[in-house]
């Protein structure tokens, strides 16, 4: 038996049967009817061979078990199967089977009736629930209609209220605008009052000063008219009294130190703020540095011009009543030192911006203006104006692109070529006192700076699109022609 089973396993008959079935399934629609019948017969023959081998194994296995082994299995499984498959055709329903079928039919009818009754009850329940749901839906619809009516009423009321509210808002806006205008008027009045108070304080100081000076002059006049010889001997001593220092001379050193420190602060604080503002509109760092440098140079020129004009007015005002003991020049400077707040710095700022607008060396986007750096220009003008009251005054060193680098006047920027001998452009001017440098400036040195400066001086800026009228240009030229220092610097 074992050998027969091993041969059956080795031949892989079931695998061959499965392969043939799969092949037939794939080609069933392609093959003809005869071919499909031949394939089916071939499979039946193969199945019969396999069944024959299995029956042989069954016979050998039953023989090995003896007379009684496997009897129950053969009775319960093999014999019924053989009876249904290989027996002759006969009526499939016996009397017992028909009775059983009748019983089954009755049982099924009973179950069907029970299911019908349960279904009817379920239908009744569902109809009841449906009716209640319809009633609820009708009530909800009615509530929805009422809510819609209330909503419409609320909308109408809200629209009316909104119209009234809009009118109130417009009225409140008008009141707020009027209030703002009144506040602005009051602010202007307050500023005017502050100016009046400041002028009153200045006038009081001047009155007290003039009163003291008048008393001194009257005393001198009385002494000069006295017949005693003592006043006659005291007259030659008037030159000695003229050497008494004024307030400007007494505070010269402290103001010098303070202004030099303020000039350094301009480089460290205001310059960087202006540079950060300009970098929002100009990507080129070199052009930003040029704009700041030219703004500082022009601010100094404008402040010096304003100082000369202011000094001339002071001299003209003091000359009719001046009697000493200091000279008229010293008195004018002393008056300017005491009244630096009378300097009209905004006029100088406007002059600087106007001059920068027609400068061909710098460019600026047309949608913005140099007013953006007015803070730097204003503070530089104030420092420059105050520096003109020093003895000797402080000024900026002359600078031009392409000049030879001077280590005593400038220090190189971080992006410079440290072996280049020429300056391509300046970052910050040097502060000088006469011929001596007080504070070093900053410059950028690169090779070929002279050629670059010449090529750029021949061509105007491509970014600049501002146009200036001829009358405005003449006004700028006449304004700039008033400064001898500016004229000299431009001719250099």
């Amino acid at each position: 038996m074992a050998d027969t089973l091993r041969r059956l396993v080795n031949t892989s008959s079931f695998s061959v049967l499965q392969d043939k079935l799969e092949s037939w399934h794939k080609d069933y629609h392609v093959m003809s009817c005869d071919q499909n019948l031949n394939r089916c017969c071939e499979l039946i023959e193969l199945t019969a061979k396999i069944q024959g081998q299995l029956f042989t194994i069954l016979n050998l296995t039953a023989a090995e078990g003896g007379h009684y082994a496997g009897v129950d299995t053969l009775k319960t499984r093999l014999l019924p199967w053989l009876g249904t498959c290989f027996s002759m055709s006969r009526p499939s329903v016996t009397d017992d089977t028909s009775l059983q079928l009748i019983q089954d039919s009755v049982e099924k009818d009973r179950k069907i009736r029970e299911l019908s009754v349960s279904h009817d009850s379920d239908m009744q329940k569902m109809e009841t629930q449906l009716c209640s749901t319809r009633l609820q839906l009708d009530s909800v619809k009615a509530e929805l209609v009422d809510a819609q009516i209330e909503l419409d009423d609320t909308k109408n009321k809200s629209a009316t209220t909104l119209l009234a509210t809009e009118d109130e808002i417009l009225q409140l806006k008008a009141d707020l605008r009027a209030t703002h205008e009144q506040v602005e008027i009051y602010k202007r009045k307050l500023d005017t009052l502050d100016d009046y108070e400041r002028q009153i304080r200045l006038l009081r100081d001047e009155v007290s000063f003039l009163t003291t000076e008048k008393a001194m002059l009257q005393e001198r006049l009385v002494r000069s008219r006295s017949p005693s010889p003592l006043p006659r001997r005291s007259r030659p001593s008037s030159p000695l009294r003229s050497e008494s220092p004024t307030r400007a001379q007494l505070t010269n050193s402290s103001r010098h130190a303070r202004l030099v420190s303020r000039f350094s602060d301009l480089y460290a604080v205001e310059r960087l703020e202006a540079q950060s503002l300009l970098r929002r509109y100009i990507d080129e760092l070199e052009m930003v540095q040029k704009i700041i440098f030219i703004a500082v140079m022009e601010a100094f020129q404008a402040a010096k011009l304003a100082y000369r004009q202011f000094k001339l007015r002071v001299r003209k005002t003091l000359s009719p009543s001046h009697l000493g003991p200091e000279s008229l020049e010293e008195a004018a400077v002393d008056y300017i030192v005491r009244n630096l707040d009378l300097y009209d710095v905004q006029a100088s700022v406007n002059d600087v911006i106007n001059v920068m607008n027609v400068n061909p060396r710098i460019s600026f986007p047309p949608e913005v203006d140099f007013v953006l750096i007015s803070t730097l220009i204003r503070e530089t003008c104030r420092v420059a104006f105050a520096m003109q009251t020093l003895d000797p005054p402080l000024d900026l060193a002359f600078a031009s692109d392409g000049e030879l680098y001077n280590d005593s006047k400038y220090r190189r920027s971080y992006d410079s070529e440290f072996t280049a001998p020429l300056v391509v452009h300046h970052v910050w001017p040097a502060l000088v006192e006469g011929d001596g440098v007080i504070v070093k400036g900053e410059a950028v040195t690169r090779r070929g700076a002279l050629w670059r400066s010449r090529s750029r001086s021949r061509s105007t800026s491509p970014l600049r699109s501002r146009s200036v009228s001829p009358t405005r240009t003449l006004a700028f030229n006449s304004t700039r022609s008033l400064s001898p220092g500016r004229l000299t610097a431009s001719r250099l």
Side-chain angles (χ1 to χ4, degrees):
M1 186 278 297
D3 295 336
T4 306
L5 181 60
R6 184 173 57 255
R7 285 195 300 271
L8 181 61
V9 171
N10 291 333
T11 53
S12 302
S13 300
F14 288 99
S15 299
V16 174
L17 180 62
Q18 182 66 26
D19 293 339
K20 288 181 177 293
L21 284 172
E22 292 177 356
S23 176
W24 185 25
H25 178 265
K26 291 179 181 179
D27 299 337
Y28 180 80
H29 297 286
V30 180
M31 297 168 61
S32 62
C33 179
D34 294 336
Q35 290 176 347
N36 287 328
L37 291 176
N38 289 329
R39 186 66 62 86
C40 184
C41 292
E42 181 180 357
L43 291 174
I44 291 172
E45 292 175 357
L46 182 59
T47 304
K49 290 181 181 179
I50 295 172
Q51 287 180 353
Q53 292 179 1
L54 290 175
F55 275 110
T56 301
I57 294 171
L58 179 66
N59 188 18
L60 294 175
T61 303
E64 289 178 356
H67 294 282
Y68 300 102
V71 174
D72 294 334
T73 304
L74 294 176
K75 286 181 179 181
T76 57
R77 298 194 62 180
L78 180 63
L79 293 179
W81 178 72
L82 291 175
T84 57
C85 295
F86 296 100
S87 60
M88 296 296 293
S89 61
R90 51 178 297 211
S92 59
V93 179
T94 60
D95 296 335
D96 296 335
T97 304
S98 61
L99 181 61
Q100 184 67 29
L101 292 175
I102 293 171
Q103 292 178 354
D104 293 339
S105 176
V106 172
E107 184 67 21
K108 287 181 180 180
D109 292 336
R110 185 181 62 79
K111 288 182 179 181
I112 289 172
R113 284 194 300 272
E114 291 177 356
L115 289 175
S116 176
V117 172
S118 63
H119 177 70
D120 293 337
S121 62
D122 292 339
M123 288 295 295
Q124 290 179 357
K125 290 180 180 179
M126 292 180 66
E127 288 179 356
T128 305
Q129 292 178 358
L130 182 61
C131 291
S132 62
T133 304
R134 286 178 178 175
L135 294 175
Q136 292 178 359
L137 181 60
D138 294 336
S139 63
V140 170
K141 285 182 178 179
E143 292 177 357
L144 183 60
V145 171
D146 296 337
Q148 185 67 33
I149 295 172
E150 292 179 359
L151 181 61
D152 294 337
D153 295 338
T154 305
K155 283 183 178 180
N156 295 329
K157 293 179 181 179
S158 300
T160 307
T161 307
L162 181 61
L163 292 175
T165 306
E166 288 181 353
D167 295 336
E168 293 178 358
I169 291 173
L170 293 175
Q171 183 65 31
L172 290 175
K173 285 183 177 180
D175 296 341
L176 182 61
R177 194 179 304 109
T179 306
H180 282 309
E181 292 176 356
Q182 292 180 358
V183 168
E184 293 296 330
I185 293 173
Y186 289 148
K187 284 183 178 179
R188 287 196 293 269
K189 290 182 179 180
L190 184 60
D191 294 338
T192 306
L193 183 61
D194 292 338
D195 294 338
Y196 288 158
E197 291 179 353
R198 181 174 55 82
Q199 292 178 5
I200 290 171
R201 288 195 300 269
L202 293 175
L203 291 174
R204 285 177 181 175
D205 294 338
E206 291 182 2
V207 167
S208 62
F209 176 75
L210 292 174
T211 304
T212 306
E213 188 175 2
K214 179 181 177 182
M216 293 174 60
L217 292 174
Q218 288 178 353
E219 183 181 356
R220 289 177 58 190
L221 183 60
V222 170
R223 290 180 182 179
S224 63
R225 292 179 179 179
S226 177
S228 62
L230 183 58
R232 292 192 184 99
R233 289 195 299 268
S234 63
R235 286 179 65 88
S237 63
S238 60
L240 296 176
R241 293 183 60 188
S242 64
E243 295 178 359
S244 61
T246 61
R247 181 178 179 181
Q249 294 172 349
L250 289 174
T251 60
N252 187 74
S253 60
S254 61
R255 288 186 295 111
H256 182 280
R258 180 174 57 83
L259 291 173
V260 170
S261 176
R262 185 70 184 100
F263 183 78
S264 301
D265 292 339
L266 288 177
Y267 171 79
V269 181
E270 279 80 359
R271 180 188 69 88
L272 295 180
E273 292 178 354
Q275 181 172 314
S276 63
L277 287 175
L278 292 175
R279 287 304 297 273
R280 298 177 184 175
Y281 305 97
I282 303 176
D283 297 332
E284 189 178 358
L285 179 60
E286 178 179 348
M287 182 56 62
V288 171
Q289 293 173 347
K290 282 186 177 182
I291 291 173
I292 294 175
F293 176 78
I294 292 175
V296 173
M297 296 292 291
E298 296 294 342
F300 260 79
Q301 297 296 336
K304 288 193 295 184
L305 176 60
Y307 176 77
R308 286 193 291 270
Q309 295 174 353
F310 189 73
K311 187 176 179 182
L312 289 175
R313 292 197 301 269
V314 172
R315 285 172 60 90
K316 185 177 179 181
T317 304
L318 295 180
S319 59
S321 60
H322 179 71
L323 296 176
E326 70 276 358
S327 64
L328 181 59
E329 181 73 17
E330 292 174 349
V333 174
D334 187 66
Y335 179 83
I336 295 174
V337 171
R338 292 173 181 269
N339 301 279
L340 287 175
D341 52 351
L342 297 179
Y343 167 47
D344 188 7
V345 66
Q346 187 60 40
S348 298
V349 172
N350 295 335
D351 292 340
V352 171
I353 293 176
N354 291 335
V355 171
M356 292 177 67
N357 282 332
V358 295
N359 194 321
R361 294 175 53 202
I362 55 179
S363 61
F364 208 60
E367 62 271 10
V368 291
D369 201 290
F370 288 116
V371 180
L372 191 67
I373 57 173
S374 59
T375 303
L376 172 66
I377 298 173
R378 182 179 296 105
E379 296 302 321
T380 306
C381 288
R382 287 176 178 171
V383 172
F385 187 86
M387 283 181 176
Q388 305 311 307
T389 63
L390 298 176
D391 186 22
L394 300 180
D395 200 356
L396 299 181
F398 172 75
S400 63
D401 294 345
E403 67 175 335
L404 186 64
Y405 175 75
N406 189 351
D407 188 61
S408 62
K409 289 172 56 178
Y410 301 104
R411 60 176 177 273
R412 286 184 171 92
S413 62
Y414 69 94
D415 56 345
S416 298
E417 296 180 6
F418 289 87
T419 59
L422 299 179
V423 176
V424 63
H425 70 275
H426 298 80
V427 179
W428 192 254
L431 185 67
V432 295
E433 184 179 6
D435 296 333
V437 178
I438 303 300
V439 179
K440 283 187 177 183
E442 184 176 345
V444 179
T445 57
R446 293 194 184 97
R447 297 190 178 277
L450 183 59
W451 178 83
R452 292 179 185 176
S453 63
R454 288 178 178 176
S455 62
R456 291 180 182 178
S457 63
R458 292 172 184 170
S459 61
T460 58
S461 172
L463 295 177
R464 198 161 190 82
S465 61
R466 294 191 181 92
S467 61
V468 182
S469 62
T471 57
R472 191 176 180 185
T473 306
L474 291 175
F476 294 152
N477 293 335
S478 63
T479 303
R480 297 182 61 132
S481 64
L482 295 175
S483 174
R486 187 192 299 273
L487 182 60
T488 304
S490 62
R491 295 302 181 188
L492 292 173

